[in-house]
Amino acid sequence: MKKIIGILIFILSFSTFQPVMAQTPDYEKYGKIAIAVVQENYPAEEVTDYEYKGRKQLANDIVEDDFLFLVAEGGKEFNVLVKIKHSLANKKLLNLTVEESK
C-alpha cells in the first residue's frame, strides 16, 4: 500500500498542471459600457438589478448584446434595456440604444 501511495506521489509531482483560469465573457466590455450609460442617465436612481439577456447575430461580424437593468425611482421600479451593436472583427461599438419601460 505504501508503494502505491509513493508511486502516485512521484507521478503527481512530475506531472504538469495548468491552473484553471476563469474566462471573462466576451460581452464584459460592453456590459461595463451599459452600466456606465445607465448610471449616467439615472444618477439619482438606484440600479437594483442587472442581467445579460443575450446576443443576436445581425450580420457576419455584427452582433447586438442586450442588457436589462432594474432601476428604482421614488419607490417604483422600471426596466431599462440597453442594446449595444458592435463588430466582432474590430471590436468596435457601432450603436447603443437605451429603452425605458415603466
Side-chain angles (χ1 to χ4, degrees):
M1 185 69 169
K2 288 183 181 182
K3 260 186 173 178
I4 294 173
I5 293 174
I7 292 171
L8 286 174
I9 291 172
F10 179 76
I11 292 171
L12 289 174
S13 66
F14 285 103
S15 64
T16 58
F17 289 104
Q18 293 183 348
V20 176
M21 303 287 260
Q23 288 185 333
T24 57
D26 64 344
Y27 60 83
E28 180 182 35
K29 169 184 174 181
Y30 301 103
K32 288 179 182 179
I33 292 170
I35 291 168
V37 166
V38 170
Q39 288 174 338
E40 183 69 26
N41 286 349
Y42 305 95
E45 288 80 20
E46 180 183 354
V47 178
T48 59
D49 197 12
Y50 155 74
E51 180 182 359
Y52 175 64
K53 297 302 285 182
R55 174 172 286 176
K56 297 176 199 156
Q57 189 79 36
L58 302 177
N60 272 348
D61 64 341
I62 307 295
V63 295
E64 180 181 85
D65 288 324
D66 296 344
F67 303 89
L68 184 65
F69 294 85
L70 185 61
V71 179
E73 177 182 38
K76 296 180 182 177
E77 294 183 331
F78 59 94
N79 290 318
V80 175
L81 180 65
V82 179
K83 296 180 178 187
I84 300 179
K85 189 186 305 182
H86 59 96
S87 170
L88 294 175
N90 62 15
K91 305 207 184 316
K92 300 287 183 190
L93 187 139
L94 303 174
N95 188 20
L96 185 142
T97 59
V98 178
E99 300 173 4
E100 181 181 306
S101 62
K102 290 194 176 187

